[in-house]
């Protein structure tokens, strides 16, 4: 599905937005049904912000509470220990007409797949996100492109709702924060991010254990699969007006031969983007016979969210993605053609 282009400038939520969001939660009747949704192929921020907020709502006394995401109801192994997983239901069991929908980390309705229709019902739809490319769907938007993760927005709303952080909520929000900041390495890692991390750690959660489970544990088959996929990476030094492009692809057959689940491929981009000779890195992950989920990263010369939006996706300036059709070379060809037009001022 294609996302509409992002508005030219996007500012964060103002006081009225925060007040409207807080009021939407505080107005819930005792028997209200609340549905939490996050984007397809949920990552640490999608799951962590959704489950952390869900646990907060549970502390507030919300009894009819579900969390879900589109597609197969499969939680990637690195997140299978998260507190609040008991809130999850398969998308086809999610409330049809919830009194409140809260949406996490989705830049557009297309990222909600078969759950997008839940936003058009009689209940209110609250959107928590941090993508500059957010298309402004839903009734109340808490969209802060300056936030390092959606969990930053979720934590602020919990604080306004007077929900104290406990270790379970904190574990979820910490996973979200560390995944989206690359373990506090990326540009969005502000003093406020570290202050939030400090508040979360003060609940007693163990960052070493969490990082090991989320980032540093994968099956041996995935290690061998990475070897193969990295071995076929290609470097194009002249692409992006000489800033360079590095890319590789992983097929469904690669996954089958190594007996691996698709989620293991999410970490691949980190091994590709360290290439010194390229500003832009891409990983194409086959999701159908001629369909690829594409991850793109930039080190600062190129706005990859512009490339992604032009090709039907979205994301952030330095991390974005889309789904492309055709063979891998054709998809990379379309990316290459967009790079020159997405150069950032030096
Ligand atoms: P990743 O490469 O880690 O999957 O995604 C990087 C960023 O791009 C994330 O913020 C993610 O939400 C966004 N993104 C990835 N794929 C798509 C897509 O198909 N559509 C949109 N709108 N955003 C995407
Ligand atoms: Mn995010």
């Amino acid at each position: 599905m294609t996302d509409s282009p992002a508005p030219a400038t996007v500012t964060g939520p103002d006081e009225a937005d925060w007040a409207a969001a807080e009021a939407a939660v505080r107005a819930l009747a005792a028997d209200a049904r609340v549905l939490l949704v996050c984007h397809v192929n949920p990552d640490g921020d999608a799951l962590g912000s959704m489950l952390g907020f869900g646990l907060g709502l549970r502390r507030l006394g919300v009894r009819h509470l579900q969390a879900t995401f589109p597609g197969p109801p499969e939680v990637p192994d690195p997140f299978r220990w998260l507190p609040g997983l008991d809130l999850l239901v398969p998308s086809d069991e999610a409330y049809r007409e919830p009194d409140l929908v809260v949406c996490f980390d989705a830049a557009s309705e297309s990222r909600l797949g078969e759950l997008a229709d839940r936003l058009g019902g009689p209940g209110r739809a609250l959107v928590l996100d941090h993508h500059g490319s957010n298309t402004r769907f839903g009734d109340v938007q808490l969209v802060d492109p300056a936030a390092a993760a959606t969990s930053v927005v979720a934590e602020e709303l919990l604080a306004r709702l007077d929900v104290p952080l406990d270790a379970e909520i904190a574990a979820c929000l910490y996973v979200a924060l560390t995944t989206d900041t690359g373990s506090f390495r990326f540009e969005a890692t502000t003093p406020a991010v570290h202050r939030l991390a400090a508040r979360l750690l003060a609940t007693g959660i163990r960052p070493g254990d969490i990082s090991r489970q989320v980032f540093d544990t994968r099956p041996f088959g995935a290690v061998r699969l990475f070897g193969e996929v990295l071995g076929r990476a290609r470097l194009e030094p002249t692409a992006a007006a000489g800033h360079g492009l590095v890319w590789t692809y992983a097929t469904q057959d690669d996954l089958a031969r190594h007996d691996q689940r698709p989620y293991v491929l999410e970490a691949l981009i980190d091994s590709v983007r360290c290439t010194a000779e390229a500003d832009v890195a891409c990983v194409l992950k086959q999701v159908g016979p001629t369909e690829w989920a594409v991850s793109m990263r930039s080190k600062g010369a190129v706005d990859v969210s512009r490339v992604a939006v032009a090709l039907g996706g979205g994301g952030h300036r330095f991390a974005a993605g889309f789904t492309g059709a055709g063979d891998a070379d054709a998809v990379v060809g379309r990316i290459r053609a967009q790079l020159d037009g997405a150069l950032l001022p030096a």
Side-chain angles (χ1 to χ4, degrees):
M1 265 186 278
T2 302
D3 302 336
S4 331
T9 52
V10 189
T11 52
D14 59 22
E15 254 328 296
D17 297 322
W18 287 111
E22 192 184 326
V25 175
R26 291 199 188 272
L28 289 171
D31 61 348
R33 288 152 311 163
V34 178
L35 180 63
L36 313 179
V37 296
C38 69
H39 65 71
V40 66
N41 298 326
D43 57 12
D45 190 26
L47 283 171
S49 60
M50 175 169 77
L51 297 178
F53 191 78
L55 290 169
L57 288 183
R58 190 181 261 171
R59 311 276 186 268
L60 280 177
V62 176
R63 285 182 290 126
H64 304 292
L65 182 59
Q66 293 180 334
T68 191
F69 50 84
E74 193 184 318
V75 174
D77 284 347
F79 307 125
R80 288 231 175 136
W81 59 273
L82 280 176
L85 286 180
D86 59 298
L87 293 168
L88 285 176
V89 299
S91 61
D92 60 1
E93 290 173 24
Y95 301 133
R96 300 267 146 208
E97 295 197 336
D99 299 290
L100 176 68
V101 184
V102 192
C103 177
F104 297 84
D105 205 38
S108 65
E109 287 176 280
S110 68
R111 299 279 286 160
L112 302 176
E114 68 272 18
L115 289 159
D117 65 352
R118 303 305 199 282
L119 280 86
R124 306 270 286 159
L126 183 53
V127 171
L128 275 61
D129 187 32
H130 69 132
H131 290 92
S133 66
N134 188 286
T135 58
R136 305 271 149 175
F137 58 101
D139 301 308
V140 179
Q141 288 112 15
L142 297 180
V143 178
D144 186 357
T150 296
S151 66
V152 172
V153 181
E155 193 260 355
E156 167 130 25
L157 184 54
L158 287 174
R160 285 172 182 254
L161 290 165
D162 303 310
V163 177
L165 291 175
D166 60 29
E168 292 198 327
I169 295 173
C172 292
L173 300 182
Y174 188 81
V175 164
L177 194 61
T178 52
T179 43
D180 266 29
T181 59
S183 300
F184 308 104
R185 285 173 299 162
F186 301 157
E187 225 59 67
T189 309
T190 57
V193 164
H194 279 292
R195 284 194 291 272
L196 171 55
R199 288 198 295 284
L200 299 174
L201 290 173
T203 64
I205 57 171
R206 298 175 58 91
D209 291 349
I210 292 176
S211 298
R212 194 171 317 104
Q213 290 177 94
V214 172
F215 302 111
D216 297 334
T217 303
R218 66 187 64 129
F220 184 57
V223 174
R224 308 261 310 196
L225 169 64
F226 273 39
E228 231 178 272
V229 174
L230 291 174
R232 64 169 84 111
R234 302 201 207 149
L235 176 65
E236 302 184 16
T238 58
H243 293 285
L245 167 68
V246 59
W247 64 277
T248 191
Y249 63 93
T251 65
Q252 292 181 319
D253 183 58
D254 294 329
L255 286 170
R257 265 184 294 105
H258 292 280
D259 193 23
Q260 292 304 303
R261 306 293 307 147
Y263 82 82
V264 303
L265 300 175
E266 299 309 312
L268 254 179
I269 188 72
D270 291 317
S271 303
V272 178
R273 71 183 175 84
C274 60
T275 304
E277 295 87 343
D279 184 82
V280 179
C282 296
V283 172
L284 282 66
K285 297 160 278 190
Q286 190 181 30
V287 291
T290 58
E291 203 172 54
W292 304 84
V294 181
S295 284
M296 296 187 290
R297 301 290 185 270
S298 150
K299 293 180 190 148
V302 172
D303 179 350
V304 285
S305 83
R306 274 181 72 171
V307 177
V309 168
L311 299 175
H316 310 283
R317 224 159 22 135
F318 302 142
F322 67 98
T323 298
D327 63 26
D329 281 307
V331 173
V332 174
R334 291 202 286 280
I335 296 169
R336 205 184 287 116
Q338 292 291 334
L339 291 175
D340 287 4
L343 291 175
L344 287 161

